[in-house]
Amino acid sequence: MIQINDHFLKLRASYLFADIARRVNDFTEANPGKEVIRLGIGDVTEPLPQACRDAMHAAVDELGERETFRGYGPEQGYPFLREAIARHEFQARGAEVRADEIFVSDGAKCDTGNIQELFATDIRVAIPDPVYPVYVDTNVMAGRTGPDRDGRFEGLVYLEATPGNGYVPELPSEAVDLIYLCFPNNPTGATATAKQLQAWVDYAREQSAIILFDAAYCAFIQNDDLPRSIYEIPGAREVAIEFRSFSKSAGFTGTRCAWTVVPSDLYASDGRGGRQSLHALWNRRHTTKFNGVSYPVQRAAAAVYTPEGQEQTQALVRFYMENARIIRDAVSDLGLSCVGGDNAPYIWIQAEGSSWDFFDRLLNEAGIVCTPGAGFGPCGEGHIRLSAFNSRDNVNKAVQRIRSALA
Ligand code: PLP
C-alpha cells in the first residue's frame, strides 16, 4: 500500500476550537435562552466597502462582453493592482518596493504556509510562542521537526513572547536560518518599534538569515511612529519577505485577496555554495502552483486605493479600533493587565488563573466566549484573547456583562 507523508501524523488535531465549541454547547444546553456573545473570533463582521462592490460589479460586466472578456490572467497579479499596492502601501511611506516584487495571492495564510517550500529541510527555524499556528504546522508537514513534546516540536527554536519582554521576543541565543515574525501580532496584539525591528534586521544580516514578516494587521496601527512594513527599516530588503492581506483591513475574508513581497535583493545559498534569487524562486513556484486571483476580486482590491475606497476602508478600521478601545478600557478598569487593542484588533489579557479556567468563568458568569491563550502555544497559558471584530451592539453588551461578572 502507498505510504503517506508520516510527518502529518506529528500534528495533533487542533482541539482548541473543538473544545471551545463543546464547552459553549454544554453552556447553552444548561442555560436555554441565555444569549452567548462570541468575542473570540478573528473574522470580520462588517460588509464589503461600496467602492469594492462597485468595482467588482463593473469587472463582472466586463467579463460578460466579448470585447472586454479576460481569460487566464498573470499569476503574479494584474499590473493595475501590483502598481497600486506598491505606490500606496510602500512608496508613499518611503519604503522601496517595486510593483514587480509584489505577488498577489488568495491569502496570507496560503503564502505564509507555502513560502517554506523555498528552503532546505535541514535549516533552523525560529517561530514565536504564542503563534499563528500556520507557521508551525507547515514546517511540521515539511519534515523540519521532530515530535511534539508538551506543545513544542523538537528541532524548532521558540521565540517567547511574555509579559517580561512586553510580548516582543528577544533575538535567539542560537543561530537560526529562518525567522517568523508577526506584528501587529496575532494573538497578542503587540507591536514592534522601528528599533526592535532594526535589531532583527541587523541580526538576520549578520547571520545570513531570512525574516518572514507577517504584517496582515498593519492597517490597524494607529501610532504613526510604529513601522507598518519591515521595508521601512534600513537593510530589510536584503533579508525580509513580507506578507499582507486585504482580509481584515477591507473585509475580504470571504472575497480573498492578499499579497507577498519578495524583494529582488534577496538571495539564499544553494547546495553547491552558489547564490540563488528568492524572487526568481518564488516566481517559479507561484506561476507553477497558483492560477492567480480572479479578475473581479483584483478590481475590487484595487478599488481600496481610490479616494472613496480609502475613506471607506479607513472607516472600517476606525470602527473595529473603537470596539477594541471599548474592550480594552473595560478590561483595564477591572484591574486586569492587557496588551493590544491600541494598534491591533486583538486584546491579550493576563487571566486570573489558567487560560481555560478564565474561559469557563467568562462563559459561565458573563455568557462571553473568548479564545484561551494556551491554544496558541505554551507561552499563551495564563492569557486569553478577545477580538474587536464584532458589531458595536455585541461589544457594548459584552463589556457590560464582563464588568458586572468580574467587578
Ligand atoms: N496572518 C495572520 C497573523 C492572521 O491572523 C491571519 C488570519 O487570521 C492570516 C495571516 C491569514 O490572512 P488571509 O485571510 O489573507 O489568509
Side-chain angles (χ1 to χ4, degrees), residues 223-262:
N223 178 347
D224 279 339
D225 294 336
L226 291 171
R228 289 190 175 203
S229 163
I230 197 158
Y231 304 116
E232 293 173 37
I233 308 300
R237 281 183 57 85
E238 292 160 39
V239 290
I241 292 173
E242 182 166 301
F243 305 91
R244 295 279 199 98
S245 179
F246 291 101
S247 281
K248 308 294 162 80
S249 56
F252 271 51
T253 52
T255 306
R256 308 305 316 151
C257 197
W259 74 90
T260 291
V261 183
V262 189

Side-chain angles (χ1 to χ4, degrees), residues 109-379:
K109 179 184 189 175
C110 323
D111 289 351
T112 53
N114 290 328
I115 196 80
Q116 47 75 31
E117 283 184 25
L118 301 192
F119 304 102
T121 40
D122 58 356
I123 57 166
R124 296 282 287 165
V125 183
I127 295 194
D129 173 11
V131 70
Y132 175 58
V134 172
Y135 315 153
V136 175
D137 291 0
T138 52
N139 276 289
V140 173
M141 290 171 181
R144 281 197 193 86
T145 74
D148 178 349
R149 305 228 183 268
D150 300 324
R152 288 202 162 171
F153 286 93
E154 261 177 32
L156 292 180
V157 173
Y158 285 91
L159 304 170
E160 298 192 342
T162 63
N165 56 27
Y167 303 96
V168 179
E170 287 103 12
L171 301 174
S173 49
E174 54 197 300
V176 296
D177 303 300
L178 192 64
I179 301 156
Y180 288 79
L181 294 178
C182 174
F183 294 109
N185 190 265
N186 177 18
T188 69
T191 48
T193 63
K195 192 169 165 216
Q196 287 167 324
L197 285 189
Q198 186 72 64
W200 281 100
V201 167
D202 293 346
Y203 171 88
R205 282 161 61 112
E206 278 157 29
Q207 299 286 332
S208 300
I210 297 285
I211 295 171
L212 302 176
F213 190 72
D214 186 343
Y217 295 95
C218 73
F220 295 89
I221 292 177
Q222 306 293 301
N223 178 347
D224 279 339
D225 294 336
L226 291 171
R228 289 190 175 203
S229 163
I230 197 158
Y231 304 116
E232 293 173 37
I233 308 300
R237 281 183 57 85
E238 292 160 39
V239 290
I241 292 173
E242 182 166 301
F243 305 91
R244 295 279 199 98
S245 179
F246 291 101
S247 281
K248 308 294 162 80
S249 56
F252 271 51
T253 52
T255 306
R256 308 305 316 151
C257 197
W259 74 90
T260 291
V261 183
V262 189
S264 56
D265 303 8
L266 214 51
Y267 289 87
S269 67
D270 62 27
R272 296 186 215 108
R275 251 161 62 96
Q276 297 293 337
S277 155
L278 291 180
H279 181 275
L281 281 188
W282 185 246
N283 189 56
R284 187 74 172 86
R285 190 221 174 263
H286 201 70
T287 51
T288 301
K289 293 195 176 181
F290 186 60
N291 261 324
V293 173
S294 79
Y295 176 67
V297 168
Q298 290 194 59
R299 280 289 182 202
V304 164
Y305 301 110
T306 60
E308 310 77 60
Q310 284 290 287
E311 206 175 286
Q312 291 158 15
T313 47
Q314 283 162 15
L316 268 184
V317 167
R318 273 199 305 277
F319 174 81
Y320 291 125
M321 289 311 287
E322 176 61 9
N323 283 350
R325 185 196 63 75
I326 293 168
I327 296 168
R328 196 185 153 110
D329 282 358
V331 168
S332 304
D333 287 351
L334 289 164
L336 296 168
S337 277
C338 68
V339 284
D342 45 1
N343 293 289
Y346 298 119
I347 298 102
W348 186 244
I349 302 165
Q350 269 183 269
E352 291 165 344
S354 80
S355 290
W356 280 109
D357 286 349
F358 202 62
F359 172 94
D360 285 336
R361 190 164 165 216
L362 277 182
L363 179 61
N364 294 318
E365 295 177 23
I368 301 298
V369 183
C370 66
T371 312
F376 298 101
C379 286

Side-chain angles (χ1 to χ4, degrees), residues 45-81:
T45 54
E46 302 307 297
L48 269 189
Q50 186 67 46
C52 301
R53 278 180 276 158
D54 290 346
M56 205 187 305
H57 280 297
V60 170
D61 288 342
E62 274 183 59
L63 297 182
E65 301 291 334
R66 183 168 299 282
E67 295 71 31
T68 48
F69 171 77
R70 294 175 190 238
Y72 287 122
E75 292 95 339
Q76 303 91 336
Y78 283 101
F80 65 77
L81 180 56

